[in-house]
Amino acid sequence: MEFSYYNPTRLIFGEGTFSQLGELTAPLGRHAMLVTGRYAMERSGYLQKAQDLLEQAGMQVTVFNKIPPNPTLDVIVEGGRTAKEAGCDVLVGLGGGSAMDSAKNIAVAATHGSMLEFLLPNQAGKKRPPTEATLPIVAVTSTAGTSSELTPFAVVTVPDSREKTSLTGDTLYARVAIDDPELTYSMPPEVTAGTGVDVICHAVEGYISRVGNPITDQWALRAIELVAAHLPGAVADGSNQQARRGMMLANVFAGYVLSQTGTNIMHGVGHPISGRCPEVPHGAALATVLVAWAEMIWERAPEQFATIARIFGVDESDDKVAASQTAAALKAFLNRVNMDVTLRDLGVPEDMLDVIADDGQRYMHHAIAKTPGEVTREHLMQLLQASY
Ligand code: NDP
Ligand code: MN
């Protein structure tokens, strides 16, 4: 057996750790660009607090609060230009995955020419990683979902081709990640649930992945256990501190999986779903395919699926029998958190399924190839049709 493990991000975890933002960022630069979404962080007061903490640490601050969910490249290019003109030398991403990913993308856009050479594969089918000129990144998450603060990925949609792709490379790891559960208290139930489903998908995809290893396997199981134990409580009562902490820890464990294994078939169609229909949140896109995914794949990894099924309450000693009940157990769990949704419910047009399958094959094939067993276009269509 041989495997490697690399994750250079300094993680600061815990209630109240947000207050360390200034002292953790100041050693990395003099002028921070604070990148966030349009509403949530301003409403919860954390945008103002972040600005104050950075200024108290002696830094100049430029606020860029223009990031929509499922951001497109044009806002990144604008952010890169603004950062360059203002002389920003460190990026602080504050918010959900959309804001943190955008901070990472802007850290590249501010110091590199065209982003497309890093986002789209070259003729050899490879994407170039951004260079060491990438500005340093601090990531503060306000959702317990994407783990972007702990991964080398930065997702963005290319508007012309509607490809929801990502930058990937070691320079995209944040220097510092702050995972303070208090920031997640203001998440409404549907955002809590959707981002929680993202954690499940990172963990289960990593757990059955062809490229997993003993470390990621352990952490994937821990993440799944924590979601099973805490997501319903966090959805039912957003101020439940124990549930919020449990979900933030799940997000950390899943991030330590995702950063090593990447994703596979669920994200392989999940990205094209939101790429074509940007109003569909990432977690909701994944929720539509989770049950059909388990139904389609369980026989390819019965031992792992048996373990997953038991975490979600299946009481069967025979592995094959337990594994065969994973889909039903996941459906019941999604019901508990109001995420048992279909692509039809989310307004995805039925004639879009072919386009989504084509997109998956065109630009998510590296992720899809990590699924155990063969995945053809027919498999992708089967998964999408069963999720409609
Ligand atoms: P978003 O960042 O898109 O946020 C979703 C919504 O929730 C937004 O409207 C946002 O408001 C709001 N919101 C965020 N935090 C809070 C809060 N604490 N209280 C109230 N409202 C809040 O969602 P996700 O975190 O799920 O990020 C999804 C993105 O991350 C996708 O693009 C996905 O592909 C990507 N991703 C990246 C990964 C990586 O490794 N880099 C891994 C997995 C997913 P507002 O708009 O005002 O900010
Ligand atoms: Mn995801």
Side-chain angles (χ1 to χ4, degrees), residues 207-220:
Y207 187 52
I208 65 150
S209 172
R210 286 177 191 266
V211 299
N213 65 53
I215 295 178
T216 57
D217 284 352
Q218 280 307 309
W219 289 353

Side-chain angles (χ1 to χ4, degrees), residues 146 198 202 258 263 267 271 282 286:
T146 69
D198 198 16
H202 297 153
L258 174 64
T263 55
H267 279 73
H271 277 232
H282 178 58
L286 295 170

Side-chain angles (χ1 to χ4, degrees), residues 10 17 49 54 112 118 129 188 193 211 226 243 249 252 291 312 331:
R10 178 189 301 279
T17 51
K49 281 187 208 163
L54 293 165
H112 295 69
F118 306 111
V211 299
L226 283 161
L249 258 187
V252 168
V291 174
F312 285 103
K331 190 171 172 66

